[in-house]
Amino acid sequence: MLGVHTAKLPDRLSRFVLRWATGRSILFKSVFVVCAVAVSTLLRFAVDEVLPPGFPFLTFFPAIILTAFFAGAAAGSAVAVATGFIAWYWFIHPVGTLSVTTPALFAMLFFAFIAATDILLVHLMTAALHRMVEAEARSSALAHARTLMFHELQHRVSNNIATLGSLLRLQERRLGDPKARAAVADARARLEVVARLQRRLHDPSRQFVDMGDYIRGLAGDTVAAMDASGRISCRYEIDSFRSEPDQAMPLGLVTSELLMNACEHGFAGGASGTILIRLSVAGAEGRARLVIEDDGAGLPPGFSVTGTTSLGLSIARQFAEQIGGELTIRARPGGGTRSELSFPTAIPRGPQAEAVPEV
C-alpha cells in the first residue's frame, strides 16, 4: 500500500503545479505582479545594510521565479523588467541615475540572462507537465474504454453461452433416446460450467485468484449445473492460496470434470451422497494437491485413467498435463471414488503450458 501511495505523489504534485500555473485571470496575474515587485523591493531595501556590495538582484530572482510559476511566463517577464529597472536605479552605482556605465551594463546583462533562463525553465517545466497530464488523461480514457469494451464482450459471451445452454436444455427434454439425452445433458452441463468459469475469471484487472474461494464456488456451480444440488452435498477441507488466472482456468476445468464424473457415475439414477473436496499446499515442495472423494457407486472393474474412453476424464487428464499436474483416480477405501491431482502452485512456463489440449 505504501508503494501505491508513493507512486501517486508525482501525479498529485504535477496536478498541483498545473492548478496554480494555468487558468488564472488577468486580474490575478496583475495583482501577483504588483505584490511580487513590491515585496521583493521592500526586502531588498531591508537587507541592503547587511549585504556586501555586488548583490543588487538578490531578492528579485526569487520573485521572478515564483511569479512565472504561479502567474505564467508573461507575468514573470513583467516582474523581471520592473525589478531590473528598480535594481538599476537604486542598487547599481551610481545610484539614482540609470547611468549606462560598463559595470552597470554588465550587471544588467547578467540580470537579463539569469531572469530569462529562470522564466524559460519554469515555462518548459509547466509545458512538460501539461503534456504529461494530457497523456495520462488519454491513457486513462483508453484504459476505461478498454475495460468497458471487455466487460461488454464478456457480457455478450455469457449471454451467448446461456442461450446455447437453454437450447440444449430444450433439446434434451425433447429427446426420447436415453443415451442421446444423456449426451446432450453432459454437453449442456459442461457449457454451463464453462460459462460460470468465464464469469468468475473475466475481470481484466485481476492478477491473482484466491483458489480456496474459487474451488468452493466452482464446486457449487458444477453440482448445480448437473441438477444435483438437492441430493449431493459438498464438504470442504481447503488450504487457500493465490494463483494466476492462466492456471486457475485449466484447474477449474479439471475440477469441474471430476465433479461431473462423480455426479454422473458415482451417484447415477438419482442417488444421493456426499463429495469431499480437499485442497492442500506443501510449501517446501511448491506443489498443491486437490483430492475429490465421493461415497458413491465406485469405479468399474479394470478401470484405468490412462485407458479410459470417457470424454470428461480425457479432458481432465489433458488439462492436468497442461498445468504440469499428475492425475490419479482409484477406488476409495470403504466405497466410492478418490480422484487426486498433484500440481505446482506456480504455472509452468515451458512449451507444455502453451499447448492447448486436443479433445
Side-chain angles (χ1 to χ4, degrees):
M1 292 299 293
L2 180 60
V4 173
H5 291 301
T6 304
K8 291 182 179 179
L9 287 178
D11 175 62
R12 293 174 180 172
L13 179 61
S14 64
R15 293 184 183 278
F16 171 78
V17 171
L18 290 181
R19 189 163 57 247
W20 275 101
T22 59
R24 297 299 176 181
S25 66
I26 297 298
L27 178 61
F28 173 85
K29 294 179 180 180
S30 301
V31 172
F32 203 102
V33 168
V34 172
C35 292
V37 172
V39 172
S40 61
T41 301
L42 291 175
L43 285 175
R44 182 61 185 83
F45 275 110
V47 299
D48 188 53
E49 297 296 331
V50 298
L51 286 178
F55 294 92
F57 315 113
L58 182 65
T59 61
F60 299 137
F61 287 134
I64 295 169
I65 294 171
L66 291 175
T67 304
F69 179 82
F70 288 109
S77 300
V79 172
V81 172
T83 56
F85 277 103
I86 291 172
W88 191 1
Y89 187 82
W90 272 300
F91 303 108
I92 297 178
H93 292 286
V95 175
T97 61
L98 293 178
S99 297
V100 185
T101 62
T102 300
L105 182 61
F106 273 109
M108 292 309 299
L109 288 175
F110 170 79
F111 173 79
F113 174 76
I114 297 299
T117 302
D118 290 341
I119 294 171
L120 178 62
L121 290 176
V122 171
H123 175 71
L124 292 176
M125 180 193 72
T126 305
L129 287 175
H130 265 294
R131 291 192 296 270
M132 183 184 72
V133 171
E134 290 173 357
E136 180 190 356
R138 288 194 298 270
S139 298
S140 298
L142 288 174
H144 182 64
R146 180 186 67 86
T147 301
L148 290 178
M149 291 178 63
F150 187 89
H151 282 293
E152 177 62 20
L153 175 63
Q154 296 302 321
H155 178 68
R156 291 180 181 272
V157 169
S158 297
N159 286 345
N160 291 339
I161 294 177
T163 300
L164 290 174
S166 299
L167 292 174
L168 287 175
R169 188 180 288 273
L170 289 174
Q171 186 65 37
E172 177 187 346
R173 291 173 180 172
R174 294 179 180 179
L175 291 174
D177 186 352
K179 291 185 178 180
R181 184 182 299 174
V184 173
D186 286 346
R188 186 259 308 162
R190 287 192 177 90
L191 196 62
E192 291 183 4
V193 170
V194 170
R196 299 186 189 199
L197 275 172
Q198 185 263 346
R199 283 195 294 269
R200 289 182 180 276
L201 299 176
H202 84 278
D203 187 355
S205 63
R206 178 183 294 176
Q207 296 181 351
F208 296 98
V209 178
D210 186 301
M211 295 307 298
D213 294 339
Y214 177 65
I215 293 296
R216 287 188 184 91
L218 177 61
D221 289 344
T222 303
V223 174
M226 297 295 293
D227 296 326
S229 299
R231 57 188 178 87
I232 298 176
S233 61
C234 294
R235 295 193 299 113
Y236 305 96
E237 297 177 5
I238 291 180
D239 295 336
S240 190
F241 69 95
R242 296 197 306 168
S243 178
E244 299 177 6
D246 288 344
Q247 184 184 45
M249 176 59 84
L251 179 59
L253 290 171
V254 174
T255 304
S256 65
E257 290 294 343
L258 295 177
L259 289 170
M260 290 169 63
N261 186 69
C263 293
E264 181 179 0
H265 300 290
F267 302 104
S272 60
T274 302
I275 298 177
L276 173 62
I277 303 172
R278 293 193 183 97
L279 180 65
S280 58
V281 181
E285 300 176 3
R287 294 185 69 85
R289 187 178 63 167
L290 174 68
V291 177
I292 298 177
E293 293 184 346
D294 66 73
D295 55 3
L299 296 172
F303 172 84
S304 170
V305 69
T306 57
T308 182
T309 59
S310 168
L311 175 61
L313 293 182
S314 297
I315 293 174
R317 189 177 70 251
Q318 293 187 53
F319 274 109
E321 293 174 357
Q322 180 179 334
I323 60 174
E326 181 181 354
L327 177 65
T328 59
I329 302 177
R330 59 179 183 270
R332 172 177 172 265
T337 304
R338 173 188 171 95
S339 303
E340 180 176 332
L341 172 66
S342 174
F343 61 96
T345 54
I347 186 170
R349 295 300 181 187
Q352 186 180 22
E354 303 282 335
V356 178
E358 298 180 359
V359 297

Short mmCIF file of all heavy atoms in Angstrom, two decimals, residues 153-181:
data_model
loop_
_atom_site.label_atom_id
_atom_site.label_comp_id
_atom_site.label_asym_id
_atom_site.label_seq_id
_atom_site.Cartn_x
_atom_site.Cartn_y
_atom_site.Cartn_z
N LEU A 153 -17.91 -7.29 -23.90
CA LEU A 153 -17.63 -8.54 -24.60
C LEU A 153 -17.94 -9.74 -23.72
O LEU A 153 -18.58 -10.71 -24.18
CB LEU A 153 -16.16 -8.56 -25.04
CG LEU A 153 -15.67 -9.85 -25.68
CD1 LEU A 153 -16.42 -10.14 -26.97
CD2 LEU A 153 -14.17 -9.78 -25.94
N GLN A 154 -17.51 -9.67 -22.46
CA GLN A 154 -17.77 -10.78 -21.55
C GLN A 154 -19.26 -10.96 -21.33
O GLN A 154 -19.77 -12.08 -21.22
CB GLN A 154 -17.06 -10.55 -20.21
CG GLN A 154 -15.55 -10.51 -20.31
CD GLN A 154 -14.98 -11.78 -20.88
OE1 GLN A 154 -15.45 -12.87 -20.60
NE2 GLN A 154 -13.94 -11.65 -21.70
N HIS A 155 -19.98 -9.84 -21.24
CA HIS A 155 -21.43 -9.93 -21.05
C HIS A 155 -22.08 -10.61 -22.24
O HIS A 155 -22.97 -11.47 -22.09
CB HIS A 155 -22.00 -8.52 -20.87
CG HIS A 155 -23.48 -8.48 -20.71
ND1 HIS A 155 -24.12 -8.98 -19.59
CD2 HIS A 155 -24.45 -8.01 -21.52
CE1 HIS A 155 -25.43 -8.81 -19.73
NE2 HIS A 155 -25.65 -8.22 -20.89
N ARG A 156 -21.64 -10.24 -23.45
CA ARG A 156 -22.21 -10.86 -24.64
C ARG A 156 -21.85 -12.35 -24.72
O ARG A 156 -22.68 -13.17 -25.11
CB ARG A 156 -21.72 -10.13 -25.90
CG ARG A 156 -22.29 -8.72 -26.03
CD ARG A 156 -21.78 -8.04 -27.29
NE ARG A 156 -22.32 -6.71 -27.40
CZ ARG A 156 -23.48 -6.40 -27.97
NH1 ARG A 156 -24.23 -7.38 -28.48
NH2 ARG A 156 -23.90 -5.16 -28.05
N VAL A 157 -20.59 -12.66 -24.37
CA VAL A 157 -20.19 -14.07 -24.38
C VAL A 157 -21.03 -14.87 -23.39
O VAL A 157 -21.52 -15.97 -23.70
CB VAL A 157 -18.69 -14.20 -24.05
CG1 VAL A 157 -18.31 -15.66 -23.80
CG2 VAL A 157 -17.85 -13.63 -25.20
N SER A 158 -21.21 -14.32 -22.19
CA SER A 158 -22.03 -15.01 -21.18
C SER A 158 -23.45 -15.22 -21.67
O SER A 158 -24.05 -16.29 -21.49
CB SER A 158 -22.02 -14.22 -19.88
OG SER A 158 -20.72 -14.13 -19.34
N ASN A 159 -24.02 -14.18 -22.28
CA ASN A 159 -25.38 -14.31 -22.80
C ASN A 159 -25.47 -15.36 -23.90
O ASN A 159 -26.43 -16.15 -23.96
CB ASN A 159 -25.87 -12.97 -23.33
CG ASN A 159 -26.20 -11.99 -22.21
OD1 ASN A 159 -26.33 -12.38 -21.06
ND2 ASN A 159 -26.32 -10.73 -22.55
N ASN A 160 -24.47 -15.37 -24.78
CA ASN A 160 -24.48 -16.36 -25.87
C ASN A 160 -24.37 -17.78 -25.33
O ASN A 160 -25.06 -18.70 -25.80
CB ASN A 160 -23.34 -16.08 -26.85
CG ASN A 160 -23.57 -14.80 -27.64
OD1 ASN A 160 -24.69 -14.33 -27.77
ND2 ASN A 160 -22.50 -14.23 -28.16
N ILE A 161 -23.48 -17.97 -24.34
CA ILE A 161 -23.34 -19.30 -23.75
C ILE A 161 -24.63 -19.71 -23.05
O ILE A 161 -25.08 -20.87 -23.14
CB ILE A 161 -22.14 -19.33 -22.78
CG1 ILE A 161 -20.83 -19.13 -23.55
CG2 ILE A 161 -22.10 -20.65 -22.02
CD1 ILE A 161 -19.61 -19.08 -22.67
N ALA A 162 -25.25 -18.75 -22.34
CA ALA A 162 -26.51 -19.07 -21.66
C ALA A 162 -27.60 -19.44 -22.67
O ALA A 162 -28.41 -20.35 -22.43
CB ALA A 162 -26.96 -17.87 -20.82
N THR A 163 -27.59 -18.76 -23.81
CA THR A 163 -28.58 -19.08 -24.85
C THR A 163 -28.36 -20.49 -25.38
O THR A 163 -29.31 -21.27 -25.56
CB THR A 163 -28.49 -18.06 -25.99
OG1 THR A 163 -28.75 -16.75 -25.47
CG2 THR A 163 -29.50 -18.38 -27.08
N LEU A 164 -27.09 -20.83 -25.62
CA LEU A 164 -26.79 -22.18 -26.10
C LEU A 164 -27.20 -23.23 -25.07
O LEU A 164 -27.73 -24.29 -25.41
CB LEU A 164 -25.30 -22.29 -26.40
CG LEU A 164 -24.80 -21.52 -27.62
CD1 LEU A 164 -23.28 -21.61 -27.72
CD2 LEU A 164 -25.44 -22.06 -28.89
N GLY A 165 -26.93 -22.93 -23.79
CA GLY A 165 -27.33 -23.87 -22.74
C GLY A 165 -28.84 -24.07 -22.69
O GLY A 165 -29.33 -25.19 -22.50
N SER A 166 -29.59 -22.96 -22.88
CA SER A 166 -31.05 -23.08 -22.88
C SER A 166 -31.54 -23.91 -24.07
O SER A 166 -32.47 -24.73 -23.93
CB SER A 166 -31.68 -21.68 -22.93
OG SER A 166 -31.31 -20.92 -21.80
N LEU A 167 -30.92 -23.72 -25.22
CA LEU A 167 -31.31 -24.51 -26.40
C LEU A 167 -31.02 -25.99 -26.18
O LEU A 167 -31.83 -26.86 -26.55
CB LEU A 167 -30.56 -23.99 -27.63
CG LEU A 167 -30.96 -22.59 -28.11
CD1 LEU A 167 -30.04 -22.15 -29.25
CD2 LEU A 167 -32.41 -22.57 -28.57
N LEU A 168 -29.85 -26.28 -25.58
CA LEU A 168 -29.53 -27.68 -25.31
C LEU A 168 -30.50 -28.28 -24.30
O LEU A 168 -30.86 -29.46 -24.39
CB LEU A 168 -28.09 -27.79 -24.81
CG LEU A 168 -26.99 -27.59 -25.86
CD1 LEU A 168 -25.61 -27.61 -25.21
CD2 LEU A 168 -27.07 -28.68 -26.93
N ARG A 169 -30.90 -27.47 -23.30
CA ARG A 169 -31.85 -27.99 -22.31
C ARG A 169 -33.19 -28.31 -22.97
O ARG A 169 -33.83 -29.33 -22.66
CB ARG A 169 -32.02 -26.97 -21.19
CG ARG A 169 -32.84 -27.48 -20.02
CD ARG A 169 -32.96 -26.41 -18.95
NE ARG A 169 -31.70 -26.24 -18.27
CZ ARG A 169 -31.30 -26.96 -17.22
NH1 ARG A 169 -32.08 -27.94 -16.76
NH2 ARG A 169 -30.15 -26.72 -16.64
N LEU A 170 -33.64 -27.45 -23.89
CA LEU A 170 -34.89 -27.73 -24.61
C LEU A 170 -34.77 -28.99 -25.45
O LEU A 170 -35.69 -29.83 -25.50
CB LEU A 170 -35.24 -26.53 -25.49
CG LEU A 170 -35.71 -25.26 -24.78
CD1 LEU A 170 -35.89 -24.13 -25.78
CD2 LEU A 170 -37.01 -25.52 -24.03
N GLN A 171 -33.59 -29.11 -26.13
CA GLN A 171 -33.39 -30.30 -26.96
C GLN A 171 -33.34 -31.57 -26.10
O GLN A 171 -33.86 -32.62 -26.49
CB GLN A 171 -32.10 -30.15 -27.75
CG GLN A 171 -31.83 -31.25 -28.76
CD GLN A 171 -32.87 -31.27 -29.87
OE1 GLN A 171 -33.33 -30.22 -30.30
NE2 GLN A 171 -33.25 -32.45 -30.32
N GLU A 172 -32.74 -31.44 -24.92
CA GLU A 172 -32.65 -32.60 -24.01
C GLU A 172 -34.04 -33.09 -23.62
O GLU A 172 -34.29 -34.31 -23.54
CB GLU A 172 -31.86 -32.18 -22.77
CG GLU A 172 -31.74 -33.25 -21.71
CD GLU A 172 -31.09 -32.71 -20.45
OE1 GLU A 172 -30.50 -31.60 -20.49
OE2 GLU A 172 -31.17 -33.40 -19.42
N ARG A 173 -34.95 -32.17 -23.38
CA ARG A 173 -36.30 -32.56 -22.96
C ARG A 173 -37.08 -33.24 -24.09
O ARG A 173 -37.99 -34.03 -23.83
CB ARG A 173 -37.06 -31.33 -22.49
CG ARG A 173 -36.52 -30.75 -21.18
CD ARG A 173 -37.18 -29.43 -20.86
NE ARG A 173 -36.68 -28.87 -19.61
CZ ARG A 173 -36.99 -27.64 -19.16
NH1 ARG A 173 -37.80 -26.88 -19.89
NH2 ARG A 173 -36.48 -27.20 -18.04
N ARG A 174 -36.74 -32.94 -25.33
CA ARG A 174 -37.48 -33.48 -26.47
C ARG A 174 -36.97 -34.84 -26.93
O ARG A 174 -37.65 -35.53 -27.69
CB ARG A 174 -37.41 -32.50 -27.64
CG ARG A 174 -38.13 -31.19 -27.37
CD ARG A 174 -38.01 -30.26 -28.56
NE ARG A 174 -38.70 -29.00 -28.31
CZ ARG A 174 -38.73 -28.00 -29.18
NH1 ARG A 174 -38.12 -28.11 -30.35
NH2 ARG A 174 -39.37 -26.89 -28.88
N LEU A 175 -35.77 -35.20 -26.48
CA LEU A 175 -35.18 -36.46 -26.93
C LEU A 175 -35.80 -37.63 -26.17
O LEU A 175 -35.99 -37.58 -24.95
CB LEU A 175 -33.67 -36.45 -26.72
CG LEU A 175 -32.88 -35.49 -27.64
CD1 LEU A 175 -31.41 -35.46 -27.23
CD2 LEU A 175 -33.00 -35.92 -29.09
N GLY A 176 -36.07 -38.70 -26.92
CA GLY A 176 -36.60 -39.90 -26.29
C GLY A 176 -35.56 -40.94 -26.00
O GLY A 176 -35.72 -41.78 -25.10
N ASP A 177 -34.47 -40.94 -26.74
CA ASP A 177 -33.40 -41.91 -26.55
C ASP A 177 -32.61 -41.55 -25.29
O ASP A 177 -32.04 -40.45 -25.20
CB ASP A 177 -32.48 -41.89 -27.77
CG ASP A 177 -31.42 -42.98 -27.72
OD1 ASP A 177 -31.30 -43.65 -26.67
OD2 ASP A 177 -30.70 -43.16 -28.72
N PRO A 178 -32.54 -42.45 -24.31
CA PRO A 178 -31.82 -42.13 -23.07
C PRO A 178 -30.35 -41.80 -23.30
O PRO A 178 -29.78 -40.90 -22.65
CB PRO A 178 -31.98 -43.39 -22.22
CG PRO A 178 -33.20 -44.06 -22.77
CD PRO A 178 -33.21 -43.76 -24.23
N LYS A 179 -29.68 -42.49 -24.21
CA LYS A 179 -28.27 -42.22 -24.47
C LYS A 179 -28.07 -40.83 -25.09
O LYS A 179 -27.16 -40.08 -24.72
CB LYS A 179 -27.68 -43.30 -25.38
CG LYS A 179 -27.57 -44.66 -24.71
CD LYS A 179 -26.88 -45.66 -25.64
CE LYS A 179 -26.73 -47.01 -24.95
NZ LYS A 179 -26.05 -48.00 -25.84
N ALA A 180 -28.93 -40.51 -26.05
CA ALA A 180 -28.84 -39.19 -26.68
C ALA A 180 -29.14 -38.09 -25.66
O ALA A 180 -28.49 -37.05 -25.62
CB ALA A 180 -29.80 -39.09 -27.86
N ARG A 181 -30.15 -38.35 -24.80
CA ARG A 181 -30.48 -37.36 -23.77
C ARG A 181 -29.31 -37.17 -22.80
O ARG A 181 -28.99 -36.03 -22.41
CB ARG A 181 -31.72 -37.81 -23.01
CG ARG A 181 -32.19 -36.80 -21.98
CD ARG A 181 -33.40 -37.31 -21.22
NE ARG A 181 -34.52 -37.53 -22.14
CZ ARG A 181 -35.66 -38.08 -21.77
NH1 ARG A 181 -35.82 -38.51 -20.52
NH2 ARG A 181 -36.65 -38.24 -22.64
#
